[in-house]
Every structure is written in C-alpha cells, then in structure tokens.
Amino acid sequence: MRKYLFGTGLFSAITGGVTLLRSARSDEPFTWRTALAWLSWGITMALAIGAVVDSYRGARGRLVADDSNVDRDKLFAERVKRNRR
C-alpha cells in the first residue's frame, strides 16, 4: 500500500493542495485565478487517485479501463512472482 500512497503523482497533488491552502489563509481576495487554481488541483488529485486505483486493480489482475496506461499483465506477473518467494 505504501507504493501507492507515496507515488509521485499523489504526493505532488497533496503538496500542491497544501500550497493552495496556505495561499487561502492570506488576506488576498478570491479571484477567478484562484478558482482556476483550485479547479486544476481538483483535477490533478482526481487523476492521481485514478492512477493509484488502476495500478491497484492491475496488480490484482482485475479489469483496467482501456484509456489507462497501466500494463495489467506486467503488474500481475510481478505480483505472482512476489508471492512465489
């Protein structure tokens, strides 16, 4: 589970969210640029979580969406090899 939680995509999305939270605490007014930054962060977070879910499913040999770049067969073969040890 650690390899999923500490992946670079999820880690960078979380640090980006922390940065946005820090900027929200300042006395700056909420502008359209701030709204776009939050929207961008939300999309980034959703994509990072989706990649984690696809990797998790692929490693267990389950069905992965066709638009995903996860190689299900490779992940499943690695998992089988680990379990044989």
Side-chain angles (χ1 to χ4, degrees), residues 22-65:
R22 285 184 184 166
S23 69
R25 289 184 182 176
S26 66
D27 293 333
E28 296 291 322
F30 191 82
T31 63
W32 63 273
R33 290 184 182 105
T34 308
L36 285 178
W38 280 104
L39 178 67
S40 173
W41 176 78
I43 292 170
T44 302
M45 193 68 167
L47 289 172
I49 291 171
V52 167
V53 169
D54 283 348
S55 296
Y56 185 80
R57 286 182 181 167
R60 277 145 185 76
R62 295 185 185 153
L63 190 61
V64 178

